[in-house]
Amino acid sequence: MHTFMATHPPAFNGPAPLGETDTRFLLQAIAWACTARARGNHPFGAVIAEADGTLLAETHCTTTESGGPTGHAEMNALRQFSRKVSPETHAHATLYISAEPCVMCSTAIFWRDLGREVYGIDTPWLRSFYSPASFDVT
């Protein structure tokens, strides 16, 4: 009989500490979030970089500008990234995002098979900035 799933999930020892390169690219993603807000979009930005620090993609949310519901910063960065690099590069790349990705973006990140994901603010903190009546992070 073949077993296709592990008998138990891999151990998780908590988040890894951020290095200088991580901090630089995360701040760059946050700067892109400011650009998004200045252009009338939701304030989200994303950057993808190689393990050696090579910048592969950078962008912001464009849902309001484009009128497209999939114009999230992560999706836009993945589109740029996918056009530039080979599938072998995916596992060595890190996606830096100004905020924790939504379900749609998380799924796209999973299927793109990126090596790492670093985000600036998690969903509970993000929600604390919005009143329940106006909460919308698309």
Side-chain angles (χ1 to χ4, degrees):
M1 183 170 152
H2 296 282
T3 303
F4 294 102
M5 295 181 63
T7 55
H8 55 82
F12 177 68
N13 297 321
L18 296 182
E20 190 175 311
T21 301
D22 291 328
T23 302
R24 180 170 47 99
F25 284 125
L26 185 55
L27 289 173
Q28 195 168 335
I30 293 167
W32 277 107
C34 293
T35 298
R37 174 49 74 204
R39 294 178 69 157
N41 297 291
H42 296 290
F44 301 104
V47 172
I48 301 177
E50 273 274 24
D52 67 3
T54 302
L55 181 65
L56 300 171
E58 58 182 336
T59 190
H60 59 85
C61 175
T62 59
T63 54
T64 303
E65 260 179 293
S66 68
T70 63
H72 294 201
E74 302 92 320
M75 300 296 284
N76 292 337
L78 289 171
R79 285 183 196 101
Q80 282 182 18
F81 170 75
S82 296
R83 287 189 286 259
K84 288 183 179 180
V85 302
S86 67
E88 295 78 35
T89 305
H90 298 180
H92 304 289
T94 299
L95 173 62
Y96 298 92
I97 322 160
S98 56
E100 184 175 6
C102 71
V103 174
M104 174 185 68
C105 293
S106 293
T107 303
I109 293 163
F110 172 81
W111 286 113
R112 185 51 42 206
D113 200 24
L114 294 179
R116 290 177 67 220
E117 173 185 311
V118 176
Y119 56 85
I121 187 171
D122 64 12
T123 301
W125 268 99
L126 183 61
R127 284 187 179 152
S128 73
F129 290 103
Y130 291 91
S131 70
S134 68
F135 181 67
D136 177 15
V137 293
T138 57

